[in-house]
Amino acid sequence: MVMKDPGPIYLLTGNTGKLKEIGRWLQPLGVEVRLMERTFLEAQADSLEEVILTGMEVMEKEGDIEGPFIKDDSGLFIDALGGFPGVYSAYVQRTIGNKGILDLMGDRNDRGATFRTVIGLYQPGEGITLLRGECPGAISFEERGKQGFGYDPIFIPRGEERTFAEMSVDEKNSLSHRIRAIKGLIDYLSRCSG
Ligand code: IMP
């Protein structure tokens, strides 16, 4: 479905890979995704929702926003670790990495974990809408696979035996938290255009 005269949506990110990925998914709607070059307050909070909402509300108060914009935030929430690394996923990946997570897990059998993505959509005059995507699964006992990035070598999506890093990009996309959130955004934008 192509939206009626949708205008561009700005994406707040330092990651041009994300710009390309989200841009490709929104293209069939006729929506152009442009890079928004602005600083975003990465708030410290217990949930992805709060991180996004706090940062977006600060921007809203600052004013001078070009048009609708989106910001996404993702994390890996491990049940046995009380949801850690969760909102700290990027920092933990940079510091202790997958080996550190496997050490923390040791040989415990309770290995449930969920990848989550929250996308915040800010529309001038309409405020903020949150779209969520999740992928439930489990932490492997060792790193496996070479594809993907971040926690992919230690995350096995539910119903699979392979880690995300052992799957092709298309296979991972069919299960991924981020793509599920993007599909939620597409549904929402399609509904908005009537
Ligand atoms: P971001 O909010 O998309 O930057 O994600 C935060 C961190 O979570 C990243 O730096 C990665 O370490 C991790 N992460 C998010 N999505 C994925 C994924 O699909 N695979 C593996 N790691 C991910």
Side-chain angles (χ1 to χ4, degrees):
M1 173 190 191
V2 177
M3 289 171 64
K4 285 174 243 141
D5 191 21
I9 291 185
Y10 290 84
L11 175 67
L12 244 170
T13 184
N15 179 342
T16 48
K18 271 191 189 173
L19 181 74
K20 274 198 204 133
E21 184 177 47
I22 297 184
R24 193 159 38 87
W25 283 92
L26 294 195
Q27 198 186 15
L29 292 183
V31 175
E32 184 199 349
V33 183
R34 293 187 190 162
L35 192 65
M36 186 176 212
E37 296 188 38
R38 241 175 115 137
T39 49
F40 183 80
L41 169 80
E42 293 287 346
Q44 280 212 345
D46 291 347
S47 69
L48 297 174
E49 283 84 352
E50 279 176 83
V51 173
I52 298 264
L53 281 175
T54 309
M56 282 187 149
E57 281 162 7
V58 167
M59 282 185 61
E60 191 178 12
K61 285 200 188 101
E62 284 171 357
D64 192 27
I65 296 173
E66 291 104 294
F69 75 92
I70 48 182
K71 168 85 178 96
D72 75 305
D73 209 357
S74 300
L76 176 65
F77 294 74
I78 301 177
D79 301 345
L81 304 181
F84 185 82
V87 292
Y88 306 107
S89 292
Y91 176 75
V92 169
Q93 181 60 224
R94 274 199 310 276
T95 51
I96 63 172
N98 291 334
K99 288 202 169 42
I101 292 289
L102 290 177
D103 284 348
L104 287 173
M105 293 297 287
D107 56 5
R108 66 176 89 217
N109 288 321
D110 169 17
R111 305 192 76 86
T114 305
F115 260 127
R116 297 203 167 94
T117 294
V118 175
I119 297 178
L121 166 69
Y122 175 82
Q123 296 168 288
E126 305 246 349
I128 301 163
T129 306
L130 296 178
L131 294 313
R132 297 174 182 81
E134 284 196 357
C135 178
I139 302 300
S140 58
F141 283 91
E142 70 287 301
E143 292 186 71
R144 295 198 320 248
K146 298 259 175 276
Q147 312 289 329
F149 67 99
Y151 299 98
D152 284 348
I154 60 166
F155 183 79
I156 305 169
R158 187 177 289 164
E160 285 285 336
E161 289 184 359
R162 292 169 302 162
T163 66
F164 265 163
E166 292 176 301
M167 296 181 179
S168 68
V169 175
D170 286 347
E171 280 177 301
K172 179 183 166 185
N173 280 350
S174 70
L175 302 166
S176 126
H177 46 300
R178 189 171 305 94
I179 303 301
R180 286 176 179 164
I182 294 173
K183 286 187 174 156
L185 174 68
I186 292 172
D187 285 351
Y188 178 81
L189 292 172
S190 307
R191 284 201 305 275
C192 285
S193 78

